[in-house]
Amino acid sequence: DTGVSQDPRHKITKRGQNVTFRCDPISEHNRLYWYRQTLGQGPEFLTYFQNEAQLEKSRLLSDRFSAERPKGSFSTLEIQRTEQGDSAMYLCASSPRVTGHTDTQYFGPGTRLTVL
Amino acid sequence: RKEVEQDPGPFNVPEGATVAFNCTYSNSASQSFFWYRQDCRKEPKLLMSVYSSGNEDGRFTAQLNRASQYISLLIRDSKLSDSATYLCVVNGIPGGGNKLTFGTGTQLKVEL
């Protein structure tokens, strides 16, 4: 257990419904990341926060996706009007603030989304 | 061309064997390199960072060749518990923020 928690662990929804996932990072970590992983692939970067500021978004993050980290602690990822192609594992990671580019990211257990 | 490329395997090896995984990356400006391990339906976990000088952690040895843009992982005396997917990861691409870029992973199955 890395200390990053995600809720729910599993979500089954019907196409067209909205879903929201929550991530609680390790408490002293100020950086938070969202990734998506589909079967047989490595995780793909979605977005990144430093404290409450969303600093980078992938082109994978369509306008149906929105992420927030309002108080610089937990984060939510919302998917509106879900599509079957959204079925994936959604992973959250956090890291402490360090100098330079190297910062070890610790992953939560993920939320597995199935869109029927 | 994918940013990080790995042979997906699977590599089926007997217990006690030595196995090596390779990975190539496309962006020569990449700054940090890692191997992560991922068990079936679990989250990725950091196995080790990879340095130009090479580094070893018990039965695991990682090497980085910047000139060839090539990363390797060697596992000696493999155990049944080493069965997992090994993800090659690159970070620190200038202009790429702090995102990790993953390969597709190499699946290892260690058998009796």
Side-chain angles (χ1 to χ4, degrees):
Chain A
D1 183 2
T2 61
V4 179
S5 62
Q6 292 187 244
D7 183 68
R9 297 289 302 277
H10 303 275
K11 178 70 177 178
I12 300 174
T13 191
K14 292 181 179 178
R15 189 176 54 184
Q17 297 295 305
N18 299 344
V19 294
T20 300
F21 310 142
R22 176 180 170 124
C23 171
D24 287 87
I26 295 170
S27 59
E28 62 269 25
H29 287 184
N30 70 337
R31 292 178 173 175
L32 186 148
Y33 309 80
W34 285 98
Y35 293 84
R36 181 175 71 184
Q37 186 174 24
T38 53
L39 195 64
Q41 301 298 315
E44 294 175 292
F45 171 79
L46 292 178
T47 190
Y48 150 59
F49 291 85
Q50 182 158 304
N51 299 313
E52 65 276 8
Q54 188 173 20
L55 297 185
E56 188 175 351
K57 292 194 293 185
S58 164
R59 57 179 173 76
L60 293 175
L61 214 66
S62 75
D63 56 4
R64 297 185 297 106
F65 288 70
S66 62
E68 294 183 343
R69 195 182 183 197
K71 298 181 180 178
S73 56
F74 74 91
S75 175
T76 57
L77 177 68
E78 181 183 17
I79 309 174
Q80 296 182 327
R81 304 181 303 282
T82 52
E83 301 173 355
Q84 288 184 325
D86 297 332
S87 296
M89 174 79 90
Y90 289 84
L91 292 159
C92 176
S94 71
S95 70
R97 182 176 183 179
V98 294
T99 57
H101 292 274
T102 302
D103 58 346
T104 299
Q105 296 183 23
Y106 299 88
F107 283 82
T111 295
R112 185 170 297 277
L113 173 67
T114 302
V115 182
L116 301 175
Chain B
R1 181 184 173 188
K2 289 185 177 180
E3 291 185 68
V4 179
E5 294 206 55
Q6 295 181 251
D7 180 345
F11 283 58
N12 298 317
V13 302
E15 200 174 16
T18 295
V19 61
F21 304 140
N22 303 318
C23 162
T24 57
Y25 60 95
S26 61
N27 193 321
S28 60
S30 302
Q31 300 191 12
S32 306
F33 308 89
F34 309 91
W35 284 100
Y36 274 72
R37 170 189 169 134
Q38 187 170 29
D39 293 293
C40 187
R41 302 180 76 83
K42 299 285 190 181
E43 73 273 21
K45 293 185 178 178
L46 179 65
L47 180 66
M48 57 198 306
S49 301
V50 188
Y51 305 113
S52 296
S53 55
N55 49 302
E56 186 174 313
D57 182 2
R59 297 181 294 107
F60 298 83
T61 301
Q63 293 276 357
L64 167 64
N65 184 322
R66 284 188 182 272
S68 301
Q69 296 177 209
Y70 172 96
I71 305 162
S72 66
L73 177 68
L74 184 75
I75 305 175
R76 291 181 299 278
D77 188 24
S78 53
K79 312 290 185 190
L80 293 174
S81 58
D82 294 334
S83 297
T85 296
Y86 291 84
L87 296 159
C88 178
V89 187
V90 172
N91 190 9
I93 298 172
N98 288 287
K99 69 177 184 181
L100 296 179
T101 302
F102 288 81
T104 56
T106 298
Q107 188 178 12
L108 172 65
K109 296 181 180 179
V110 181
E111 303 165 331
L112 287 172

CSV table of all heavy atoms in Angstrom, one decimal, chain A residues 31 33 48 94-106, chain B residues 32 34 36 91 98-100:
chain,number,residue,atom,x,y,z
A,31,ARG,N,2.2,17.1,-5.7
A,31,ARG,CA,2.0,16.8,-7.1
A,31,ARG,C,1.0,15.6,-7.2
A,31,ARG,O,1.2,14.6,-6.6
A,31,ARG,CB,3.3,16.6,-7.9
A,31,ARG,CG,4.1,17.8,-8.0
A,31,ARG,CD,5.4,17.5,-8.7
A,31,ARG,NE,6.2,18.8,-8.9
A,31,ARG,CZ,7.4,18.8,-9.4
A,31,ARG,NH1,8.0,17.7,-9.7
A,31,ARG,NH2,8.0,20.0,-9.6
A,33,TYR,N,-1.2,13.2,-10.2
A,33,TYR,CA,-1.3,12.9,-11.7
A,33,TYR,C,-2.5,11.9,-11.9
A,33,TYR,O,-2.7,11.1,-11.0
A,33,TYR,CB,0.0,12.2,-12.1
A,33,TYR,CG,1.3,12.9,-11.8
A,33,TYR,CD1,1.8,12.8,-10.5
A,33,TYR,CD2,1.9,13.6,-12.7
A,33,TYR,CE1,3.0,13.4,-10.2
A,33,TYR,CE2,3.1,14.3,-12.4
A,33,TYR,CZ,3.7,14.2,-11.1
A,33,TYR,OH,4.8,14.8,-10.8
A,48,TYR,N,-2.1,16.7,-14.8
A,48,TYR,CA,-1.2,16.8,-13.7
A,48,TYR,C,-1.5,18.1,-12.9
A,48,TYR,O,-1.8,19.1,-13.5
A,48,TYR,CB,0.2,16.8,-14.3
A,48,TYR,CG,1.3,17.6,-13.6
A,48,TYR,CD1,1.7,17.3,-12.3
A,48,TYR,CD2,2.0,18.6,-14.3
A,48,TYR,CE1,2.7,18.0,-11.7
A,48,TYR,CE2,3.0,19.3,-13.7
A,48,TYR,CZ,3.4,19.0,-12.4
A,48,TYR,OH,4.4,19.7,-11.8
A,94,SER,N,0.9,10.3,-7.0
A,94,SER,CA,1.3,11.5,-6.3
A,94,SER,C,2.8,11.5,-6.1
A,94,SER,O,3.4,10.4,-6.1
A,94,SER,CB,0.6,11.8,-5.0
A,94,SER,OG,1.0,10.9,-4.0
A,95,SER,N,3.4,12.6,-6.0
A,95,SER,CA,4.9,12.7,-5.8
A,95,SER,C,5.1,14.0,-5.0
A,95,SER,O,4.4,15.0,-5.0
A,95,SER,CB,5.6,12.8,-7.1
A,95,SER,OG,5.4,14.0,-7.8
A,96,PRO,N,6.3,13.9,-4.2
A,96,PRO,CA,6.6,15.1,-3.5
A,96,PRO,C,7.3,16.1,-4.4
A,96,PRO,O,7.7,15.8,-5.5
A,96,PRO,CB,7.7,14.6,-2.5
A,96,PRO,CG,8.3,13.4,-3.2
A,96,PRO,CD,7.2,12.8,-4.0
A,97,ARG,N,7.4,17.3,-3.9
A,97,ARG,CA,8.1,18.4,-4.7
A,97,ARG,C,9.6,18.2,-4.5
A,97,ARG,O,10.1,18.3,-3.4
A,97,ARG,CB,7.6,19.7,-4.3
A,97,ARG,CG,8.3,20.8,-5.2
A,97,ARG,CD,7.8,22.2,-4.8
A,97,ARG,NE,8.3,23.2,-5.7
A,97,ARG,CZ,8.0,24.5,-5.6
A,97,ARG,NH1,7.2,24.9,-4.7
A,97,ARG,NH2,8.6,25.4,-6.4
A,98,VAL,N,10.3,18.0,-5.7
A,98,VAL,CA,11.7,17.9,-5.6
A,98,VAL,C,12.3,18.8,-6.7
A,98,VAL,O,11.6,19.2,-7.6
A,98,VAL,CB,12.3,16.5,-5.8
A,98,VAL,CG1,11.8,15.6,-4.6
A,98,VAL,CG2,11.7,15.9,-7.1
A,99,THR,N,13.6,19.1,-6.6
A,99,THR,CA,14.2,19.9,-7.7
A,99,THR,C,14.4,19.1,-8.9
A,99,THR,O,14.6,17.8,-8.8
A,99,THR,CB,15.5,20.5,-7.2
A,99,THR,OG1,16.4,19.5,-6.7
A,99,THR,CG2,15.3,21.5,-6.0
A,100,GLY,N,14.5,19.7,-10.0
A,100,GLY,CA,14.8,19.0,-11.3
A,100,GLY,C,13.6,18.2,-11.7
A,100,GLY,O,12.5,18.4,-11.4
A,101,HIS,N,13.8,17.3,-12.6
A,101,HIS,CA,12.7,16.6,-13.3
A,101,HIS,C,12.4,15.2,-12.6
A,101,HIS,O,11.4,14.6,-12.9
A,101,HIS,CB,13.1,16.3,-14.7
A,101,HIS,CG,13.1,17.6,-15.5
A,101,HIS,ND1,12.0,18.2,-16.1
A,101,HIS,CD2,14.1,18.5,-15.8
A,101,HIS,CE1,12.3,19.3,-16.7
A,101,HIS,NE2,13.6,19.5,-16.6
A,102,THR,N,13.3,14.7,-11.8
A,102,THR,CA,13.1,13.4,-11.3
A,102,THR,C,12.3,13.4,-10.1
A,102,THR,O,12.7,14.0,-9.0
A,102,THR,CB,14.5,12.7,-11.0
A,102,THR,OG1,15.3,12.7,-12.1
A,102,THR,CG2,14.2,11.3,-10.5
A,103,ASP,N,11.1,12.9,-10.1
A,103,ASP,CA,10.2,12.8,-8.9
A,103,ASP,C,9.5,11.4,-9.0
A,103,ASP,O,8.8,11.2,-10.0
A,103,ASP,CB,9.3,14.0,-8.8
A,103,ASP,CG,8.3,14.1,-9.9
A,103,ASP,OD1,8.6,13.5,-11.0
A,103,ASP,OD2,7.3,14.8,-9.8
A,104,THR,N,9.8,10.6,-8.0
A,104,THR,CA,9.2,9.3,-8.0
A,104,THR,C,7.7,9.4,-7.8
A,104,THR,O,7.2,10.1,-6.8
A,104,THR,CB,9.8,8.5,-6.9
A,104,THR,OG1,11.2,8.3,-7.1
A,104,THR,CG2,9.1,7.1,-6.8
A,105,GLN,N,6.9,8.8,-8.6
A,105,GLN,CA,5.5,8.8,-8.5
A,105,GLN,C,5.0,7.5,-7.9
A,105,GLN,O,5.4,6.4,-8.3
A,105,GLN,CB,4.9,9.1,-9.9
A,105,GLN,CG,5.2,10.4,-10.5
A,105,GLN,CD,4.6,10.7,-11.8
A,105,GLN,OE1,3.6,10.2,-12.2
A,105,GLN,NE2,5.2,11.6,-12.6
A,106,TYR,N,4.1,7.7,-7.0
A,106,TYR,CA,3.5,6.5,-6.3
A,106,TYR,C,2.0,6.4,-6.7
A,106,TYR,O,1.3,7.4,-6.6
A,106,TYR,CB,3.6,6.7,-4.8
A,106,TYR,CG,5.0,6.8,-4.3
A,106,TYR,CD1,5.7,8.1,-4.2
A,106,TYR,CD2,5.7,5.7,-3.9
A,106,TYR,CE1,7.0,8.2,-3.8
A,106,TYR,CE2,7.1,5.8,-3.5
A,106,TYR,CZ,7.7,7.0,-3.5
A,106,TYR,OH,9.0,7.1,-3.1
B,32,SER,N,15.0,11.2,-17.2
B,32,SER,CA,14.9,10.2,-16.1
B,32,SER,C,14.3,8.9,-16.6
B,32,SER,O,13.5,8.9,-17.5
B,32,SER,CB,14.1,10.7,-14.9
B,32,SER,OG,14.5,12.0,-14.5
B,34,PHE,N,13.1,4.7,-15.6
B,34,PHE,CA,12.7,3.8,-14.5
B,34,PHE,C,12.2,2.5,-15.0
B,34,PHE,O,11.8,2.4,-16.2
B,34,PHE,CB,11.5,4.4,-13.7
B,34,PHE,CG,11.7,5.9,-13.2
B,34,PHE,CD1,11.3,6.9,-14.0
B,34,PHE,CD2,12.3,6.1,-12.0
B,34,PHE,CE1,11.5,8.2,-13.6
B,34,PHE,CE2,12.5,7.4,-11.6
B,34,PHE,CZ,12.1,8.5,-12.4
B,36,TYR,N,9.2,0.0,-13.7
B,36,TYR,CA,8.1,-0.3,-12.8
B,36,TYR,C,7.6,-1.7,-13.0
B,36,TYR,O,7.7,-2.3,-14.1
B,36,TYR,CB,6.9,0.6,-13.1
B,36,TYR,CG,6.9,2.0,-12.5
B,36,TYR,CD1,7.8,3.0,-12.9
B,36,TYR,CD2,6.1,2.3,-11.4
B,36,TYR,CE1,7.9,4.2,-12.3
B,36,TYR,CE2,6.1,3.6,-10.8
B,36,TYR,CZ,7.0,4.5,-11.2
B,36,TYR,OH,7.0,5.7,-10.6
B,91,ASN,N,10.9,9.8,-18.1
B,91,ASN,CA,10.3,11.1,-17.5
B,91,ASN,C,11.3,12.2,-17.9
B,91,ASN,O,12.4,12.0,-18.3
B,91,ASN,CB,10.2,11.0,-16.0
B,91,ASN,CG,9.5,12.1,-15.4
B,91,ASN,OD1,8.9,12.9,-16.0
B,91,ASN,ND2,9.5,12.2,-14.0
B,98,ASN,N,6.0,16.9,-16.1
B,98,ASN,CA,6.5,15.8,-15.2
B,98,ASN,C,5.8,14.5,-15.5
B,98,ASN,O,5.9,13.6,-14.7
B,98,ASN,CB,6.3,16.2,-13.7
B,98,ASN,CG,7.3,17.3,-13.3
B,98,ASN,OD1,8.4,17.0,-13.2
B,98,ASN,ND2,6.7,18.5,-13.2
B,99,LYS,N,5.2,14.3,-16.6
B,99,LYS,CA,4.5,13.1,-16.9
B,99,LYS,C,5.4,12.0,-17.1
B,99,LYS,O,6.5,12.1,-17.6
B,99,LYS,CB,3.6,13.3,-18.1
B,99,LYS,CG,4.4,13.4,-19.4
B,99,LYS,CD,3.4,13.5,-20.6
B,99,LYS,CE,4.2,13.5,-21.9
B,99,LYS,NZ,3.3,13.6,-23.1
B,100,LEU,N,5.0,10.8,-16.7
B,100,LEU,CA,5.7,9.5,-17.0
B,100,LEU,C,5.2,9.0,-18.3
B,100,LEU,O,4.0,9.0,-18.6
B,100,LEU,CB,5.5,8.5,-15.9
B,100,LEU,CG,6.0,8.8,-14.5
B,100,LEU,CD1,5.6,7.7,-13.6
B,100,LEU,CD2,7.5,9.1,-14.5
